[in-house]
């Protein structure tokens, strides 16, 4: 089975993004996934798409959360994926 990939879309000077990253790093202690962090400011397209939503979390390409990232919700999503 391929490793789960969690993508975190962020930008600099974003307190909610920092909290989201800390939450995902905590989850990494219990779940096996690869965390990718993408700064939306590196792409006009990403900035236009996610500008007001960040942080945005995708699990294997599926958007599962934005704004306030809930640890319990992400954990449940990982459990569903890893069945």
């Amino acid at each position: 089975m391929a490793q789960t990939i969690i993508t975190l879309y962020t930008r600099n000077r974003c307190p909610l993004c920092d909290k989201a990253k800390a939450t995902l790093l905590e989850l990494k202690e219990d779940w096996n996934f690869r965390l990718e962090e993408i700064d939306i400011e590196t792409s006009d397209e990403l900035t236009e798409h996610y500008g007001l939503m960040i942080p945005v979390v995708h699990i294997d390409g599926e958007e599962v959360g934005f704004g306030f990232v809930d640890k319990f919700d992400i954990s449940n999503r990982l459990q569903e994926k890893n069945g």
Side-chain angles (χ1 to χ4, degrees), residues 41-52:
E41 293 179 339
T42 62
S43 161
D44 290 343
E45 185 179 328
L46 289 175
T47 299
E48 187 176 319
H49 189 74
Y50 293 122
L52 299 176

Side-chain angles (χ1 to χ4, degrees), residues 32-48:
N32 181 26
F33 62 85
R34 188 170 86 224
L35 178 60
E36 296 179 342
E37 188 173 355
I38 298 176
D39 182 344
I40 66 166
E41 293 179 339
T42 62
S43 161
D44 290 343
E45 185 179 328
L46 289 175
T47 299
E48 187 176 319

Side-chain angles (χ1 to χ4, degrees), residues 3-61:
Q3 184 179 30
T4 299
I5 299 171
I6 293 186
T7 307
L8 175 63
Y9 293 91
T10 67
R11 73 162 36 118
N12 289 329
R13 297 172 308 283
C14 169
L16 274 179
C17 299
D18 295 339
K19 285 182 181 179
K21 185 175 182 179
T23 297
L24 293 173
L25 290 174
E26 284 177 30
L27 285 167
K28 206 156 171 34
E29 295 172 11
D30 297 323
W31 297 97
N32 181 26
F33 62 85
R34 188 170 86 224
L35 178 60
E36 296 179 342
E37 188 173 355
I38 298 176
D39 182 344
I40 66 166
E41 293 179 339
T42 62
S43 161
D44 290 343
E45 185 179 328
L46 289 175
T47 299
E48 187 176 319
H49 189 74
Y50 293 122
L52 299 176
M53 295 171 58
I54 61 156
V56 177
V57 177
H58 284 205
I59 298 178
D60 291 336

